[in-house]
Amino acid sequence: MPVRDAAERIEPRQLSRFLPPAEGGRRSAVLVLFGTGADGRPDLLLIERARSLRSHAGQPSFPGGALDPEDGDPRGPGPVNAALREAREETGLDPSGVQVFGVLPDLYIPVSDFVVTPVLGWWRSPSPVGPVDPAEVAAVFRVPVDELVDPDRRARLRHPSGFRGPAFLVEGRLVWGFTAGVIDRLLHHSGLERPWDTSREIELSEDAVVVAAEDRARAQQRTGADPAGAGEGTISGRPA
């Protein structure tokens, strides 16, 4: 309920300083799916992208991807349909067990030129999930919300480019970038966030730096612009 209430009142600038351009951008959607784990704790469904992918390889993320024509109007039901379809294709999730309870404002990932609509869902009837295609998804996992709000699991990620953004150390993984930015803002605006040491910083691993640099180079080839400093596809900073 706190997340739903926050979604109804949140403004784009409260989520990110990277907002969609007036024209262009590749439309996509992600499913931010909350549920209840086997231990009774509320949790969030995430995937780990395969290291063989061309974009954001190896990163934990929300299920999701680009809109297809079959999904419908991008300014209508398209993002919801795309988020549910992509979640099914990536994790085997049964969309009939998901209750969509909100849609966040469109956000922009400069490094990949994606205009992303986060779709909020409640896993009313959980179904078995796992990687459908290992070439796309390396792992599917659920993170308890109380771990996401645990101050000891929170940090600021420092990138060699100078970028700093939120990060979560959960389930033996580092969640950063766009996904961590959305989680950070949802926890903050829903009132679930607990005070944590915002001066605590960790550096991105060398492997992740290489992958991010490759993403940046591909984006520059596509657009002719240098997205360096755009946070490697993240929501940057901590807007009010």
Side-chain angles (χ1 to χ4, degrees), residues 27-29 66-83 85 103 106 115 117 119:
R27 294 301 304 246
S28 65
L67 269 68
D68 285 347
E70 68 193 65
D71 296 320
D73 185 356
R75 301 190 181 278
V80 171
N81 292 337
R85 174 184 55 76
V103 176
D106 291 342
V115 176
T117 305
V119 175

Side-chain angles (χ1 to χ4, degrees), residues 107-153:
L107 302 172
Y108 186 55
I109 304 181
V111 73
S112 56
D113 194 36
F114 273 119
V115 176
V116 186
T117 305
V119 175
L120 305 178
W122 170 249
W123 212 352
R124 181 181 51 205
S125 300
S127 52
V129 291
V132 173
D133 183 355
E136 291 190 4
V137 177
V140 178
F141 59 104
R142 299 172 68 167
V143 180
V145 173
D146 61 9
E147 292 186 12
L148 292 169
V149 300
D150 182 349
D152 291 338
R153 297 177 182 269

